[in-house]
Amino acid sequence: METQKEFDKVKFLKDQLKYLGFGEGEQLHKDLEKGINSKEQQFEIKTTSDKTLPGNKADFTLKFNKTESGGIFINSYHAKLTNEKNEEISHNFPVNRENSFTAKEAVNLMEGRSVKIEFHNPKSDQQETAFIQFNFEEPKTEKGNYLFQNFYQKYGVDTDKIVEKSNLIFDKPEYKENTIKSLEKGNIVKVKFQENDQIVEGKAILNPENRNLKLYDNDMNRLNTNKPLEGLEQDNKHEKNNVREQSIKR
C-alpha cells in the first residue's frame, strides 16, 4: 500500500513538472527521485530550457519542500536568462494551484515579451484579465523580482482586433484561434501577412503597450512600425500601472 502511495506521489510531481514545461527528461526524473528519497526537508533541482531566442540560455532552480505529514511540493522556481552579451536576467516564480507560470512563459517574460493572465486588480478588488511584462526600468523588489507592468482590460488590448488590423492570413479558421492563444502567452509566432500586395511569411509578437503586433521577417528583421491601432482613446493610458506583488490566477 505504501509503495502505491509513494508511486502516486512521484507520478504527481513528474506530471506537475511536465505541466510547468520542464519536460520529462531522464536526468530531471532521477534528480526528483533523489530529492524525494533524501532526508532533507527541502531540496532543489537544476534544469535548463532550449526554448529561448538564439544566443540566450535559460537556467532554472526548482525548489521543493516536504511537510511533516509526508507531502512534497514544488513551492517556486528561480529562473535565470543569460544573453549573448553575458548579461543576466533573473526572477523568482511562485508555484501553486492558482499561480503558476510555465517555463516558456518565464522565458518570454525575461526576454521582454508580455503574457496574458487573470490579475487581481487592487483598484477594483476584482479578478480581471490583464497583460503583464517585466519593467526593466525600475529597481527590483526585496525578493529579487522585477515589478510587473500591467495592462488591464480598460487599457483596450483586444488581440482578436489587433490580429484583424494586422492583415494576417490564415489557411484554416482554427489557425487564427491558435495564433491568438500563442501570442497571448508571449510566444514569437510564425504567421503569414499581407505586405505590399504580397503574402509574406514571417513572425509576430504581441505588443500590448501599443496595442499592435510587431511583425518580422523570418530572420527577425522588423517590418512594421510601432504605430498603434487607430481610434483608441488617449485616456486609457492611466490604466497601465506598475504593481509589485499581486495575486495572479492562471
Side-chain angles (χ1 to χ4, degrees):
M1 190 70 180
E2 183 67 16
T3 302
Q4 182 65 35
K5 180 181 178 182
E6 289 300 318
F7 173 79
D8 290 343
K9 184 189 302 181
V10 174
K11 183 179 185 302
F12 173 81
L13 290 170
K14 287 180 178 179
D15 287 344
Q16 189 176 24
L17 293 182
K18 179 182 177 182
Y19 170 78
L20 288 170
F22 293 108
E24 302 176 275
E26 181 180 352
Q27 188 60 50
L28 183 73
H29 286 177
K30 283 183 178 179
D31 292 342
L32 175 62
E33 291 172 8
K34 181 180 178 181
I36 291 172
N37 294 326
S38 72
K39 295 182 180 180
E40 300 295 328
Q41 287 299 110
Q42 297 177 334
F43 66 93
E44 296 181 348
I45 296 177
K46 295 186 182 296
T47 187
T48 61
S49 172
D50 59 359
K51 293 178 169 48
T52 65
L53 286 171
N56 290 348
K57 178 186 176 185
D59 295 284
F60 299 92
T61 302
L62 317 182
K63 301 181 180 182
F64 295 81
N65 186 62
K66 299 178 183 178
T67 65
E68 294 181 0
S69 60
I72 304 176
F73 303 94
I74 175 171
N75 292 330
S76 64
Y77 64 86
H78 180 264
K80 181 179 73 173
L81 183 83
T82 307
N83 64 23
E84 54 189 4
K85 297 179 181 178
N86 211 33
E87 299 168 333
E88 293 184 356
I89 297 169
S90 63
H91 191 88
N92 297 294
F93 291 89
V95 175
N96 55 53
R97 291 179 180 179
E98 294 185 346
N99 182 357
S100 299
F101 288 94
T102 65
K104 183 61 170 70
E105 288 173 331
V107 167
N108 291 344
L109 287 169
M110 291 189 295
E111 289 185 336
R113 297 184 293 278
S114 63
V115 175
K116 184 179 180 180
I117 60 168
E118 284 187 29
F119 203 92
H120 182 79
N121 189 337
K123 290 183 177 181
S124 63
D125 197 33
Q126 299 289 326
Q127 290 295 123
E128 295 185 11
T129 299
F131 288 86
I132 69 165
Q133 60 192 44
F134 285 159
N135 187 339
F136 296 111
E137 304 300 322
E138 295 290 331
K140 282 189 168 186
T141 67
E142 293 179 357
K143 296 181 180 180
N145 288 338
Y146 289 102
L147 299 180
F148 286 136
Q149 192 173 24
N150 307 301
F151 304 93
Y152 294 118
Q153 288 175 322
K154 291 183 180 179
Y155 191 72
V157 183
D158 186 330
T159 313
D160 189 279
K161 183 177 179 182
I162 290 171
V163 166
E164 286 289 338
K165 291 282 187 177
S166 299
N167 296 321
L168 297 191
I169 308 296
F170 300 99
D171 296 332
K172 296 181 180 180
E174 58 266 29
Y175 289 177
K176 179 180 179 180
E177 183 179 350
N178 293 337
T179 294
I180 288 174
K181 288 181 179 179
S182 191
L183 287 168
E184 291 180 339
K185 289 179 178 291
N187 295 327
I188 300 173
V189 184
K190 292 182 179 180
V191 294
K192 294 180 181 178
F193 51 89
Q194 192 113 6
E195 180 79 8
N196 298 324
D197 296 327
Q198 292 183 336
I199 296 178
V200 180
E201 291 187 355
K203 298 176 182 178
I205 296 173
L206 182 63
N207 180 10
E209 184 169 9
N210 287 337
R211 310 177 191 89
N212 73 344
L213 295 184
K214 294 179 180 178
L215 297 177
Y216 302 83
D217 64 18
N218 284 321
D219 295 321
M220 292 303 291
N221 297 308
R222 185 70 187 273
L223 296 177
N224 66 343
T225 67
N226 279 323
K227 183 180 179 182
L229 295 177
E230 297 178 359
L232 292 167
E233 297 178 5
Q234 292 297 313
D235 62 4
N236 281 334
K237 288 183 178 180
H238 74 277
E239 292 298 334
K240 179 183 69 175
N241 298 283
N242 294 329
V243 177
R244 288 182 176 269
E245 305 286 340
Q246 299 294 343
S247 172
I248 299 171
K249 183 178 180 182
R250 306 304 297 157

